[in-house]
Amino acid sequence: MSKVLIIGCGGVASVAIHKCCQNSDVFEEICIASRTKSKCDALKEKLEGTTKTKITTRQVDADKVDELIALIREVQPDLVMNIALPYQDLTIMDACLACGVNYMDTANYEPEDLNDPEWRAQYEKRCKEQGFSAYFDYSYQWAYKEKFEKAGLTALLGSGFDPGVTQAYCAYAQKHLFDQIDTIDILDCNGGDHGYPFATNFNPEINLREVSAPGSYWENGHWVEIPAMSIKREYNFDQVGQKDMYLLHHEEIESLAKNIPGVQRIRFFMTFGQSYLTHMKCLENVGMLSTEPIEFEGHQIVPIQFLKALLPDPATLGPRTVGKTNIGCIFTGKKDGQQKTAYIYNVCDHQECYAEVGSQAISYTTGVPAMIGAMMLLTGKWNKPGVYTVEEFDPDPYMAALNQWGLPWQICDNPALVD
Ligand code: NDP
């Protein structure tokens, strides 16, 4: 039925590609294009013969709009799935506009070079005006809204788990469970153990940038920013158990604050073990998380990129990781004049994911919703010209697809709340 161009072939893309190949009725043909073509070829070789989906591969540098335009014109896809890095969001959106093709991704834009003066000026203005200092925000991609509307094209932003599924949970709660949502706590728990003293579950550079930054949350119409890891809570997660979790800034808070009418507070918590935090603090203290290039033996190196080369590739954690993830949203609010609480969540088992697609649950919980988001666009269920996040569409077909394609969810009434 459809042809899709998938950009990127890392941990998350590999899962999305496996799931597209399980869903050949929708994904009749896929072209996998990435910086390192050999990874695309290896995945094609693994999947061919197991699927009716026709697979081709290409090399592309997605930082270059001209290369992307040439590739899109050659492949002629119905949709471009950006599963590379957030650094490439804008170049790929530009290329989609130039070629008249729909777009989707799993994470919002952030620049690779934090010292770019033009970006820096806009960033500092936003920090002052809005009160949160994360390096990423939606403004860069929301700025494309009119262009996508005029072109009659849809851009779906952030269809992973968080962002992504968490926003579908919010839209579902708004549509079916509450008349008014007062508070949302997004809880992201990884109870998995990979046996390494320190490794990240997805791209180390993006992951470490995110968790070493100040936390922030939305309350009564404005942002409250706090020092990194300074709000800690404990929570007893279904099928995982008691875990420490820390308040982080997270991108979906920004769009949910706009799209859930009257919401008073939105927070995001992620679990971390003590070993992870101790390693991260130490690496930060010695400058290894820095994104500033330094001169080393005649070469320019970026410390966090050098660290990435030393750390285990998240795509290789699959066979070693045991345990489960539990990710979901706790809501408080009102229904029919009564106070009410609800918790919507998914539990995912690392080893079951590995047995199915050869990846651990973090890549799985992101790659499956990437395929589902693409399916929503390709089957016409979610097409509306413009630039949108997941909660701006009807959650019902997406929630049904989560149950069908490997991420079943459940609703718990009267859950324990986070203070
Ligand atoms: P990886 O680093 O494993 O994979 C990234 C892929 O993009 C690699 O194949 C890489 O190529 C390719 N790539 C990088 N730069 C370029 C470029 N300039 N041109 C072409 N290809 C390029 O990352 P993950 O799979 O862990 O993460 C993918 C995305 O998913 C990220 O945006 C991440 O933020 C997002 N994510 C979203 C989550 C959510 O819940 N919403 C959760 C986890 C991740 P090469 O192989 O050569 O390095």
Side-chain angles (χ1 to χ4, degrees):
M1 182 182 138
S2 306
K3 190 198 271 189
V4 167
L5 172 62
I6 300 173
I7 301 186
C9 193
V12 174
S14 164
V15 175
I17 291 162
H18 273 85
K19 297 306 273 193
C20 292
C21 288
Q22 290 176 11
N23 191 0
S24 305
D25 288 345
V26 173
F27 298 87
E28 210 169 49
E29 198 174 332
I30 59 173
C31 174
I32 315 169
S34 192
R35 185 166 53 188
T36 312
K37 184 169 175 287
S38 55
K39 290 190 194 170
C40 312
D41 292 334
L43 191 54
K44 173 181 148 118
E45 199 174 313
K46 180 179 169 204
L47 287 166
E48 260 177 354
T50 69
T51 176
K52 281 195 276 173
T53 302
K54 183 178 170 216
I55 307 170
T56 57
T57 62
R58 294 285 188 285
Q59 199 278 331
V60 73
D61 179 352
D63 291 321
K64 302 201 171 109
V65 180
D66 290 352
E67 273 192 34
L68 287 164
I69 291 176
L71 176 67
I72 296 172
R73 292 211 169 122
E74 184 203 337
V75 174
Q76 300 273 321
D78 302 298
L79 169 73
V80 174
M81 295 172 71
N82 167 15
I83 322 182
L85 296 177
Y87 308 149
Q88 283 86 44
D89 288 2
L90 303 186
T91 48
I92 300 176
M93 287 177 88
D94 281 330
C96 283
L97 277 171
C99 299
V101 182
N102 291 329
Y103 167 90
M104 63 153 289
D105 64 33
T106 63
N108 73 2
Y109 173 70
E110 86 181 74
E112 185 160 16
D113 177 9
L114 298 172
N115 292 316
D116 171 20
E118 201 182 313
W119 175 82
R120 196 91 216 164
Q122 194 172 336
Y123 167 74
E124 277 162 12
K125 185 163 172 278
R126 185 260 286 166
C127 290
K128 216 191 273 161
E129 284 173 2
Q130 302 217 24
F132 70 97
S133 63
Y135 293 131
F136 47 88
D137 72 69
Y138 277 113
S139 63
Y140 303 90
Q141 292 180 276
W142 281 340
Y144 282 70
K145 193 171 174 62
E146 216 180 300
K147 287 188 201 161
F148 271 77
E149 273 167 9
K150 280 197 179 134
L153 296 172
T154 306
L156 170 63
L157 307 185
S159 186
F161 205 106
D162 44 341
V165 174
T166 49
Q167 288 142 291
Y169 289 172
C170 293
Y172 183 90
Q174 179 79 76
K175 182 171 176 184
H176 297 290
L177 307 180
F178 290 86
D179 297 326
Q180 168 66 52
I181 295 175
D182 294 332
T183 69
I184 304 170
D185 278 333
I186 303 167
L187 271 46
D188 179 332
C189 165
N190 180 9
D193 180 4
H194 45 56
Y196 286 116
F198 186 72
T200 63
N201 295 302
F202 69 97
N203 183 283
E205 187 177 335
I206 304 295
N207 183 232
L208 289 166
R209 273 190 186 197
E210 174 178 298
V211 298
S212 59
S216 55
Y217 58 99
W218 178 260
E219 191 167 48
N220 298 326
H222 60 88
W223 290 96
V224 181
E225 187 157 271
I226 56 157
M229 304 290 171
S230 61
I231 294 185
K232 175 185 167 188
R233 297 286 185 270
E234 276 180 36
Y235 200 82
N236 193 2
F237 289 91
D238 182 26
Q239 299 181 54
V240 175
Q242 194 84 7
K243 289 276 171 196
D244 292 342
M245 58 185 193
Y246 297 82
L247 188 145
L248 299 185
H249 176 81
H250 225 245
E251 66 203 60
E252 64 266 48
I253 301 176
E254 197 188 351
S255 69
L256 289 169
K258 262 184 44 171
N259 294 322
I260 302 293
V263 66
Q264 290 159 22
R265 191 187 67 201
I266 313 171
R267 301 182 297 185
F268 181 98
F269 290 91
M270 191 178 272
T271 62
F272 294 101
Q274 198 48 52
S275 170
Y276 182 97
L277 294 178
T278 308
H279 277 81
M280 193 180 75
K281 196 75 217 156
C282 175
L283 290 165
E284 188 178 15
N285 286 343
V286 298
M288 283 299 284
L289 302 191
S290 169
T291 54
E292 296 268 330
I294 58 157
E295 186 83 14
F296 179 72
E297 294 188 344
H299 298 279
Q300 286 268 315
I301 61 166
V302 176
I304 198 167
Q305 288 175 357
F306 178 66
L307 175 64
K308 177 178 185 249
L310 294 176
L311 289 175
D313 179 349
T316 64
L317 296 178
R320 317 171 44 105
T321 308
V322 292
K324 294 179 200 292
T325 61
N326 177 326
I327 317 175
C329 303
I330 299 177
F331 302 95
T332 69
K334 291 166 208 72
K335 179 75 178 169
D336 301 328
Q338 304 285 314
Q339 289 293 330
K340 168 175 182 171
T341 61
Y343 187 8
I344 311 180
Y345 62 90
N346 160 265
V347 175
C348 198
D349 184 279
H350 284 285
Q351 288 291 295
E352 283 173 18
C353 297
Y354 186 68
E356 185 193 325
V357 298
S359 299
Q360 33 82 359
I362 303 300
S363 301
Y364 190 90
T365 53
T366 312
V368 172
M371 181 282 283
I372 291 173
M375 180 169 69
M376 293 298 112
L377 298 189
L378 294 168
T379 54
K381 294 201 169 69
W382 275 17
N383 278 2
K384 56 178 174 183
V387 176
Y388 297 101
T389 43
V390 168
E391 74 275 21
E392 294 180 271
F393 292 97
D394 178 8
D396 292 350
Y398 195 92
M399 294 290 276
L402 289 168
N403 284 333
Q404 188 187 349
W405 291 101
L407 294 175
W409 44 275
Q410 45 197 304
I411 301 178
C412 160
D413 291 324
N414 299 317
L417 300 180
V418 182
D419 64 19

